[in-house]
Amino acid sequence: MKHFLTTEHWSQSSLQEMVDFARSLKKHKFQPLLKEKSVALLFFNPSLRTRTSFELGVHQLGGQVVVLQPGKDAWPIEFELGSVMDGEAEEHISEVAQVLSAYCDMIAVRAFPKFHNWQDDRQDKLITALANYASVPVINMETITHPCQELAHVMALQEQLGDLQGKKYVLTWTYHPKPLNTAVANSSLLIATKFGMDVTLLCPTEEYLLDPHYMQLGQSYSQAHGQELTVTHDIDTAYEGADVVYAKSWGALPYFGQWEKEKPIRDQYKHFMVDEAKMAKTNNALFSHCLPLRRNIKATDGVVDSENCIAIQEAENRLHVQKSIMNTLMNKV
Ligand code: CP
């Protein structure tokens, strides 16, 4: 049995196979690939795209879906091993995983970090425990990475640019009034380097570097393609000649859980917003974002409404790649 927890566990060629099949599903939406199959979607956090695209995707493949929001319409869940459950949680992930495995053929989960302690959150304990106790494949709908978004992103880039090898790709930090999850930034770094792009990480200071695990993986994927992962804090250098600009905001890890200390630092960098002047320095770059996006905070209306913005195409591709992922996992059981 194979899970889809992170693209780290999948080769570039196997991810490409899923994207290729997603392309065929985009042309032929309705196929009975999940006939008589059922999928549980566990949402610990809000969603628009992920929930809609997974629910519709399962239906379009002839399967059944059940959506659960632990703590809202389902019991609050504990996921620490050996914990004395005298708090809010009414049941343990061990029983949840086994019961849902008895009912369903796949389980997908969204569980963001708790934002208290990065050393704890970086272990991705909830989805790891779920995958350990489940006897059916588990899909990551965003925890500390967002692998479904990665495939949708690559699919959209390939639709626009063809071969991605050597194309200059800029992952730029942007301002946001709240500290956000690093998941999409980690994922952007992983997938762009894995597919051989010439990747630059643009962020305000060293404090906004991503977790060393992802920085090192990005570097090793880059080197496997004969490239170097570039880090810069200089906006002009980063945008110069770029083919792709991907925007994301994230909280600085040294201040994880102490966000009041980070706020005056973050507030100095509102000018990292993607605007027309910055995009004019690029090689007529594509712009994208995972969405949701705060207009005129992360990117200007002019950038988001330009014909170079492929965020909607990327969001649509979530539907197609997730159907392909589910089909792959069903065939690997
Ligand atoms: N990009 C993304 O996952 O969107 P939602 O948070 O709306 O699901």
Side-chain angles (χ1 to χ4, degrees):
M1 182 179 64
K2 197 148 186 191
H3 303 295
F4 191 74
L5 304 183
T6 158
T7 54
E8 288 172 52
H9 299 157
W10 295 77
S11 66
Q12 184 187 349
S13 60
S14 54
L15 296 172
Q16 185 65 60
E17 277 175 30
M18 286 192 253
V19 171
D20 291 343
F21 189 55
R23 205 167 291 124
S24 98
L25 287 166
K26 194 168 184 172
K27 288 191 195 122
H28 308 287
K29 271 193 182 157
F30 298 92
Q31 300 187 40
L33 298 167
L34 292 182
K35 189 165 180 278
E36 296 176 8
K37 304 286 185 195
S38 52
V39 183
L41 307 181
L42 277 175
F43 281 98
F44 289 84
N45 310 95
S47 164
L48 184 145
R49 281 143 289 271
T50 305
R51 179 169 174 173
T52 310
S53 54
F54 261 102
E55 279 204 64
L56 288 176
V58 174
H59 284 299
Q60 290 174 8
L61 296 182
Q64 291 190 318
V65 69
V66 58
V67 179
L68 298 165
Q69 300 176 89
K72 289 188 183 163
D73 57 15
W75 300 114
I77 298 170
E78 174 60 57
F79 57 89
E80 293 281 356
L81 288 176
S83 58
V84 177
M85 291 175 52
D86 58 359
E88 285 298 306
E90 290 293 345
E91 60 179 330
H92 195 270
I93 194 75
S94 162
E95 286 72 53
V96 173
Q98 292 177 78
V99 169
L100 291 179
S101 296
Y103 296 145
C104 300
D105 299 284
M106 270 179 285
I107 306 168
V109 63
R110 165 167 286 197
F112 292 173
K114 289 188 178 302
F115 289 111
H116 297 145
N117 176 341
W118 177 242
Q119 293 313 317
D120 211 35
D121 279 335
R122 76 190 291 277
Q123 296 174 53
D124 224 0
K125 285 181 186 170
L126 191 145
I127 197 166
T128 304
L130 182 65
N132 283 342
Y133 291 117
S135 55
V136 298
V138 172
I139 299 174
N140 182 347
M141 298 194 294
E142 190 175 352
T143 59
I144 58 169
T145 62
H146 199 349
C148 297
Q149 191 75 44
E150 291 178 44
L151 292 202
H153 185 41
V154 158
M155 184 175 173
L157 292 178
Q158 290 180 340
E159 286 170 332
Q160 293 286 339
L161 300 174
D163 185 10
L164 302 181
Q165 177 75 32
K167 295 278 194 305
K168 182 170 177 183
Y169 180 101
V170 178
L171 165 61
T172 177
W173 179 91
T174 59
Y175 176 75
H176 188 285
K178 296 178 195 164
L180 299 183
N181 196 353
T182 51
V184 172
N186 293 335
S187 277
S188 155
L189 202 67
L190 288 183
I191 205 68
T193 52
K194 193 161 199 157
F195 276 73
M197 301 187 81
D198 172 16
V199 178
T200 294
L201 169 62
L202 169 64
C203 57
T205 67
E206 294 264 311
E207 292 177 317
Y208 286 86
L209 291 180
L210 298 168
D211 183 272
H213 176 73
Y214 299 102
M215 297 300 299
Q216 283 157 16
L217 260 181
Q219 186 63 268
S220 72
Y221 290 158
S222 288
Q223 285 169 354
H225 287 278
Q227 287 165 162
E228 288 289 319
L229 169 62
T230 303
V231 175
T232 183
H233 310 306
D234 183 72
I235 293 173
D236 290 344
T237 310
Y239 276 77
E240 186 74 43
D243 298 298
V244 178
V245 173
Y246 201 58
K248 187 71 188 80
S249 189
W250 62 88
L253 294 177
Y255 299 95
F256 202 84
Q258 310 166 65
W259 301 117
E260 67 293 344
K261 288 189 187 161
E262 189 222 17
K263 187 170 166 30
I265 300 166
R266 186 161 20 104
D267 285 352
Q268 295 169 42
Y269 299 107
K270 293 182 180 177
H271 61 286
F272 272 67
M273 177 169 64
V274 184
D275 58 21
E276 292 89 324
K278 294 188 187 73
M279 292 300 285
K281 298 177 198 297
T282 68
N283 181 28
N284 194 27
L286 298 170
F287 169 78
S288 198
H289 185 279
C290 62
L291 305 179
L293 176 149
R294 290 192 186 218
R295 282 172 175 252
N296 304 310
I297 296 287
K298 288 179 171 178
T300 58
D301 286 335
V303 170
V304 178
D305 294 330
S306 74
E307 61 183 22
N308 290 36
C309 176
I310 59 165
I312 303 298
Q313 185 180 348
E314 180 172 324
E316 184 201 324
N317 287 346
R318 292 286 306 278
L319 173 68
H320 312 303
V321 297
Q322 289 157 192
K323 288 160 73 178
S324 182
I325 293 163
M326 289 188 283
N327 179 59
T328 302
L329 294 179
M330 279 295 86
N331 290 326
K332 286 203 181 291
V333 174

